[in-house]
Amino acid sequence: MGEGEWYRPLRNAGCRITDGLTFKGYRSLLLENEKVLIHLLLDKGGEPIRWLHKPTDTDFIWIAGKGLGPSHPLYSEYEISYIGGWQEMFPEVSYTSTYRGATVHRGESAVTPWDYRIIRDDPDEIRVLLINQIRSLPLRTEKQIVLTAGSETVRIEETIINLSPATPLEANWGHHLAYGRPFLGPDSFITLDEGATVHHPVTGESWAWPLMSGGGSDTDLSIMPAPGTKRDLLYISAPDSKYRLHSPRRGVSLEVRWDGSVWPYLWYWQNFQSDFAAPFFGCDYNIGLEMFNVPPKLTLGEAVERKLALAVPPSGRLSSWLEFEAIPGGE
């Protein structure tokens, strides 16, 4: 089934796809069932502007204070166009850098348009394939989003394809998942299974989750602190590659599961209205729990030197997956 077919059957029950939409100038796609509604901005990295849990009327997407602006060439770089929420980061996740003579942009896949193809469109299941081909390197991303009837779980299956028949290529890859209002609040907390550890990428210190020691006291990283609290960027090793973020106030939790063989580092970004420089200026209270192939904050060149970059052989492929499950009850 192709993109935007005019005479594709239109449903208003069960699993359904609404396409051919434009929202604030961005091509958009809606995927939904009885439990979840996802609104994707195809012209802005395919990122979700809504990820609504219908039973609790809770949107998991945090939108930063500056909000969504119109598409404009002046705002094409990742950080200046960042509006919060969730983005796919590829082929560079930390800083724009140089690799093999090319300028590889931070989050190039997050600021460029994605195509889509409808693979399955039935009341009991929908499958949509999103496609992105960056300009800096001959690499193509294909990800299939799967939603089944009555389920609160969304599965994403992804493949990176090296379009060069002769050159092996490396990349940094992952997902920048940030949380704030309305889902995240001062009563929110994080749970990880036994064996998880926390690491400071600068000092090299590590601790058993959730306590971080320093200055003669312990800090519980699983609970949200008061606004104005300043915290460093950390990373977490989660042996089972999953976490839950709970919102008692909203009565729902979100469990995120991923392929830890591809993304072994879970970055823990903490911004509790304590970043007074660009791009937040003390306006936002949020965290990020972001799975990547590298610890913070290596460039692609540095990752290649340390043999941490993902390698894709000529005409080769590399696949991974993610799952998001909304769980009623935030306790």
Side-chain angles (χ1 to χ4, degrees):
M1 186 173 293
E3 176 181 337
E5 292 185 357
W6 282 105
Y7 300 111
R8 181 171 53 82
L10 183 64
R11 290 191 305 280
N12 57 9
C15 293
R16 49 209 186 267
I17 301 168
T18 307
D19 59 351
L21 302 177
T22 301
F23 178 72
K24 294 187 179 294
Y26 298 89
R27 288 178 307 127
S28 292
L29 186 66
L30 297 184
L31 312 176
E32 63 180 309
N33 66 4
E34 302 89 337
K35 304 291 187 179
V36 180
L37 182 148
I38 304 168
H39 179 176
L40 303 174
L41 299 178
L42 295 169
D43 287 332
K44 192 177 185 298
E47 75 171 272
I49 192 71
R50 297 177 69 198
W51 195 292
L52 179 68
H53 181 240
K54 293 180 179 180
T56 59
D57 192 31
T58 299
D59 202 324
F60 295 120
I61 299 301
W62 158 64
I63 300 174
K66 62 183 179 182
L68 176 66
S71 178
H72 190 282
L74 181 61
Y75 306 119
S76 59
E77 186 267 336
Y78 175 77
E79 185 165 299
I80 199 170
S81 66
Y82 180 69
I83 62 167
W86 304 351
Q87 295 85 33
E88 176 123 8
M89 304 295 283
F90 183 80
E92 181 62 283
V93 303
S94 297
Y95 306 99
T96 295
S97 63
T98 301
Y99 164 77
R100 290 184 180 267
T103 299
V104 284
H105 296 274
R106 180 191 182 200
E108 184 176 343
S109 61
V111 297
T112 50
W114 289 62
D115 289 332
Y116 75 98
R117 301 288 183 270
I118 296 173
I119 306 301
R120 181 174 176 180
D121 184 14
D122 298 324
D124 59 337
E125 183 177 274
I126 53 177
R127 290 176 175 259
V128 174
L129 181 68
L130 301 186
I131 304 160
N132 179 258
Q133 193 163 315
I134 59 174
R135 291 293 188 92
S136 58
L137 299 171
L139 292 168
R140 176 185 176 103
T141 305
E142 296 184 354
K143 67 178 177 183
Q144 193 167 155
I145 303 176
V146 184
L147 187 58
T148 57
S151 176
E152 290 166 296
T153 298
V154 180
R155 182 172 174 87
I156 299 176
E157 301 167 353
E158 303 196 74
T159 299
I160 301 298
I161 304 167
N162 183 352
L163 301 177
S164 170
T167 305
L169 294 171
E170 292 90 8
N172 285 338
W173 185 26
H175 288 265
H176 192 292
L177 306 179
Y179 304 94
R181 295 177 181 174
F183 175 53
L184 183 95
D187 64 333
S188 296
F189 61 98
I190 305 161
T191 55
L192 291 155
D193 286 345
E194 187 175 354
T197 53
V198 186
H199 306 264
H200 197 297
V202 177
T203 68
E205 297 172 281
S206 61
W207 309 271
W209 172 268
L211 298 181
M212 179 180 69
S213 299
S217 63
D218 291 336
T219 299
D220 188 343
L221 297 169
S222 68
I223 60 176
M224 302 300 108
T229 302
K230 190 170 181 59
R231 296 266 181 86
D232 292 337
L233 174 63
L234 307 170
Y235 73 89
I236 299 168
S237 296
D240 54 359
S241 302
K242 71 177 182 181
Y243 62 79
R244 279 192 185 184
L245 183 54
H246 307 264
S247 180
R249 179 175 50 88
R250 303 296 308 187
V252 66
S253 301
L254 180 69
E255 181 168 289
V256 182
R257 304 179 287 268
W258 67 94
D259 185 349
S261 67
V262 176
W263 302 312
Y265 299 95
L266 180 66
W267 295 16
Y268 186 19
W269 169 44
Q270 303 168 85
N271 174 35
F272 303 113
Q273 289 181 276
S274 59
D275 188 343
F276 299 106
F280 299 107
F281 300 101
C283 295
D284 294 288
Y285 183 103
N286 67 279
I287 65 170
L289 289 166
E290 313 157 9
M291 55 290 299
F292 292 113
N293 66 292
V294 289
K297 269 190 140 185
L298 300 184
T299 65
L300 179 53
E302 291 168 338
V304 170
E305 288 179 5
R306 300 191 192 186
K307 301 187 183 306
L308 294 174
L310 297 171
V312 189
S315 302
R317 293 170 173 249
L318 175 66
S319 295
S320 193
W321 60 269
L322 280 163
E323 286 185 342
F324 300 86
E325 182 180 2
I327 302 170
E331 298 299 331

